Amino acid sequence: MERARMTAGADDGFGDLLRRARRAAGHSQEELAERAGISARAISDLERGVNRVPRRDTLELIADALDLPKDERRRWERARRTMATQGGQADVRQPDDASTSGVPVPLTALVGREREIAEIRGLLFEGGVRLLTLTGPGGVGKTRLAVEVAQHAQAEDPKGVSFVSLGAVRNSDRVLAEIGRALRVREQAGTPIIDRLISHLASMRLLLVLDNVEQVIEAAGSFAVLLERCPALKLLVTSRTPLRIRGEQQYAVAPLAVPDGRRPPNVSTLADYPAVDLFVLRATQANSSFALTDENAATVAEICMRLDGLPLAIELAAARITALSPRMLLERLERPLALLAGGPRDLPDRQRTMRAAIQWSNDLLEPEEQRLFRRLSVFVGGWTLEAAEAVCETGVDTLDALVSLVEHGLVQHVEQLDGTTRYRMLEPIREFGLEQSRAAGEIGEAQQQLARFIARLIESGEPPRYWSPISDAWLQRCAIEHANIRTALDWRLEHEPVGALRLASSLYWFWRMHGYLIEGTRWLEEALHLNDGAPAPDRAKAIASLADLACWQSQFDR
């Protein structure tokens, strides 16, 4: 029987007993650690014998998590005492080279990254990649993912991993010295530090994790030299921008998957979405009485969608559950940056608020790239390169600057089914851009340019009024740009009422064919209300459109 096999060998070391019991229960090290309320590193160290004797309270936590019966608990306690008597000193971790690796021990479980961990490990240890750079926007979880991969690698080879955080380093010339400090390679007068590192690493099989490289990116050339001269060295790098050196494999870390909003959410349907899992886990940690229910499921789903699945944003929002209900939290996400603050005190400043995380990336941009970022924030739902060039005249090559924003994680690019590319910002990042645009006094001009671009796009492709074939491409373009169309209509109603009337009339076929009858009616009514003195042809066209939409809603009296 499985439980009998699990307890066989009472004189085995504690690590053997723990490993058999965990596997019999069907838990990974991470799952058992979460159930027991201790770190996965602690479980790994016990199973590998790095820590040969657990503390009594640790043993009890693990036994409770595995639901061990009393006789097996007594067997485990005997094994613990035997190991202590044979030379393993209880409550003291046995030192070894792995203890100097610097790999952090996370205090919280990683949620929803199983696929990414497997892919990264596959690239590094099976695919022959020696330089892998994890890229993505601030708050997407690059560091946390790198730590998890490092822990997995360390569990298999305790002496084969070293972790170096460069977040506090501002001078690229100090990067190699910081790596040397972590590897206990001292600087020596008359000998360049890179030569000392090469001598140390030349015959060593090592995974070197370099965290937060973006602000010292000029040091990347030295990484290439290390890789060329040290054939058994592998680098796992986290950076908001790629290193752009030969041999680099980029891995874009995406936000967590969110509900698609197309089916009514409930507790069971939300179970498949890591963003919701993360929110519920962190909300429960902040407020033990919180629970995901069918009553609040739709609200929680909307919160995760509003935050675009960005892990840092979700964690900061979930922490507010101590004072706000999910509904109140969602209402305050109309301005998310004001809410997404107050992160844990043990995190770096740039990770304690969403604004600081984005500011960190913005500060790395050239001035003209910052200007493009501010102007692009007026787009809602994404844009094309053509739209960016029309709306964002910055005096530099728009494509080059846009590529830089993508590399810094402030803009995402999405390949469409027809082979074209659209760009978008995650919502917290877009709000930061709008704040910066307002502060720079640029937002009005950018909104005007967006409204005029949308008007040209829609009115130039408007189909003939009656009984003529409607262009599928035109309808599809309207659907893709729907969020930007709404933004353009809002701006024109306030600043160019006649232009709003013409744009609303041009959208009649789109509203009719896509079923936006109520929305189209509202826009046309509001535009007509503001345009009593508009040219007769413009008013006539709008009234005819409004009348036809009324007929389609069976409002024949109107």
Side-chain angles (χ1 to χ4, degrees):
M1 299 295 289
E2 188 62 40
R3 190 169 292 276
R5 288 196 299 270
M6 179 181 71
T7 59
D11 295 331
D12 286 345
F14 184 82
D16 295 321
L17 290 175
L18 173 58
R19 186 182 302 105
R20 280 197 293 268
R22 175 179 61 78
R23 289 175 176 173
H27 298 314
S28 66
Q29 289 181 345
E30 292 77 10
E31 289 168 342
L32 178 56
E34 184 175 350
R35 289 170 63 91
I38 60 179
S39 72
R41 174 71 175 273
I43 299 291
S44 174
D45 285 351
L46 285 168
E47 290 191 1
R48 291 182 293 116
V50 174
N51 182 6
R52 300 177 65 226
V53 185
R55 302 194 322 182
R56 185 184 297 274
D57 56 347
T58 301
L59 184 147
E60 291 174 354
L61 288 171
I62 295 173
D64 288 343
L66 291 170
D67 196 24
L68 294 183
K70 289 183 179 180
D71 61 332
E72 291 181 25
R73 291 173 189 250
R74 286 193 292 269
R75 189 188 302 272
W76 281 35
E77 176 58 26
R78 284 198 299 272
R80 193 185 82 86
R81 287 198 301 268
T82 299
M83 294 299 294
T85 333
Q86 290 175 350
Q89 185 178 355
D91 303 333
V92 176
R93 176 175 171 176
Q94 301 299 308
D96 73 338
D97 290 343
S99 64
T100 66
S101 70
V103 180
V105 180
L107 299 178
T108 56
L110 183 62
V111 176
R113 294 298 195 185
E114 294 80 9
R115 175 182 59 81
E116 289 89 342
I117 291 171
E119 290 176 349
I120 292 168
R121 286 171 55 79
L123 289 168
L124 284 171
F125 303 114
E126 299 171 16
V129 173
R130 296 184 58 215
L131 171 57
L132 184 63
T133 305
L134 307 186
T135 61
V140 80
K142 301 181 294 296
T143 296
R144 184 65 180 83
L145 190 53
V147 167
E148 198 73 14
V149 171
Q151 285 197 317
H152 278 268
Q154 192 176 57
E156 297 173 0
D157 183 2
K159 300 180 182 180
V161 183
S162 189
F163 189 99
V164 183
S165 175
L166 299 173
V169 181
R170 295 294 179 269
N171 187 339
S172 298
D173 294 337
R174 292 299 304 162
V175 169
L176 292 182
E178 190 69 16
I179 294 173
R181 187 193 64 77
L183 297 177
R184 297 183 176 179
V185 176
R186 296 180 179 178
E187 296 183 75
Q188 187 175 34
T191 305
I193 184 62
I194 191 167
D195 292 340
R196 300 269 296 158
L197 286 171
I198 289 170
S199 176
H200 180 77
L201 295 170
S203 59
M204 181 182 295
R205 186 178 299 277
L206 180 71
L207 173 64
L208 181 59
V209 184
L210 303 178
D211 186 39
N212 287 119
V213 172
E214 59 269 3
Q215 82 284 356
V216 287
I217 202 76
E218 293 81 4
S222 300
F223 303 160
V225 174
L226 289 176
L227 288 167
E228 288 175 356
R229 302 286 299 276
C230 307
L233 176 67
K234 293 178 183 287
L235 291 185
L236 175 61
V237 174
T238 74
S239 175
R240 300 192 188 189
T241 62
L243 304 186
R244 289 188 176 179
I245 60 177
R246 289 176 300 166
E248 178 184 28
Q249 171 71 54
Q250 295 181 42
Y251 186 95
V253 180
L256 296 172
V258 300
D260 58 17
R262 288 178 291 184
R263 60 178 185 175
N266 54 49
V267 174
S268 59
T269 60
L270 292 183
D272 297 331
Y273 296 101
V276 176
D277 287 345
L278 179 62
F279 181 90
V280 172
L281 178 60
R282 298 295 182 259
T284 305
Q285 290 172 341
N287 181 357
S288 59
S289 65
F290 174 81
L292 183 66
T293 65
D294 285 337
E295 288 70 31
N296 65 22
T299 303
V300 170
E302 181 64 26
I303 290 170
C304 295
M305 289 187 285
R306 187 77 61 85
L307 297 175
D308 280 317
L310 202 58
L312 177 59
I314 291 172
E315 293 194 354
L316 292 172
R320 298 293 189 178
I321 287 295
T322 55
L324 300 173
S325 69
R327 174 55 58 186
M328 295 167 66
L329 181 59
L330 179 59
E331 291 170 355
R332 282 159 177 77
L333 284 180
E334 292 297 328
R335 299 295 301 274
L337 292 183
L339 184 75
L340 303 179
R345 292 186 177 89
D346 57 331
L347 288 178
D349 288 344
R350 67 179 182 277
Q351 295 178 10
R352 294 187 62 196
T353 72
M354 198 66 236
R355 181 179 280 105
I358 302 169
Q359 183 74 58
W360 175 273
S361 291
N362 184 67
D363 290 347
L364 297 173
L365 299 175
E366 297 297 328
E368 291 305 321
E369 294 169 345
Q370 291 177 341
R371 185 163 184 253
L372 177 63
F373 169 54
R374 294 194 298 266
R375 295 180 74 91
L376 288 172
S377 66
V378 300
F379 286 100
V380 184
W383 65 89
T384 62
L385 177 59
E386 172 197 9
E389 291 173 333
V391 174
C392 307
E393 299 175 0
T394 60
V396 296
D397 185 278
T398 302
L399 178 58
D400 287 346
L402 187 56
V403 168
S404 180
L405 294 181
V406 171
E407 290 182 342
H408 281 81
L410 293 169
V411 168
Q412 295 183 312
H413 64 97
V414 182
E415 295 296 326
Q416 305 296 296
L417 293 177
D418 61 1
T420 60
T421 298
R422 281 184 71 81
Y423 303 87
R424 67 183 293 265
M425 290 182 189
L426 300 177
E427 193 56 31
I429 295 176
R430 193 179 80 85
E431 193 203 345
F432 178 89
L434 287 172
E435 283 186 356
Q436 299 295 302
S437 185
R438 292 188 188 98
E442 299 171 346
I443 192 166
E445 181 186 356
Q447 289 173 329
Q448 180 184 55
Q449 292 299 324
L450 172 60
R452 292 180 177 177
F453 170 76
I454 290 294
R456 290 193 301 271
L457 186 71
I458 301 305
E459 292 169 2
S460 64
E462 180 188 2
R465 286 299 292 175
Y466 298 107
W467 314 116
S468 298
I470 301 172
S471 166
D472 287 341
W474 182 84
L475 287 171
Q476 183 179 8
R477 188 64 184 271
C478 289
I480 291 173
E481 300 291 354
H482 198 181
N484 286 320
I485 288 170
R486 289 165 171 156
T487 301
L489 281 167
D490 269 329
W491 188 88
R492 282 202 151 184
L493 283 171
E494 183 176 354
H495 299 281
E496 298 176 355
V498 175
L501 185 69
R502 291 170 180 162
L503 180 57
S505 298
S506 297
L507 287 162
Y508 157 73
W509 277 112
F510 166 65
W511 285 325
R512 174 175 162 178
M513 298 301 291
H514 279 264
Y516 294 109
L517 305 179
I518 296 175
E519 179 178 346
T521 297
R522 181 178 63 80
W523 287 117
L524 285 163
E525 287 179 338
E526 191 167 354
L528 282 165
H529 176 72
L530 294 173
N531 283 281
D532 285 342
D538 292 327
R539 283 187 57 82
K541 183 177 178 181
I543 290 170
S545 299
L546 186 58
D548 198 51
L549 290 179
C551 287
W552 279 94
Q553 297 173 77
S554 300
Q555 297 172 351
F556 301 113
D557 290 344
R558 294 189 65 202

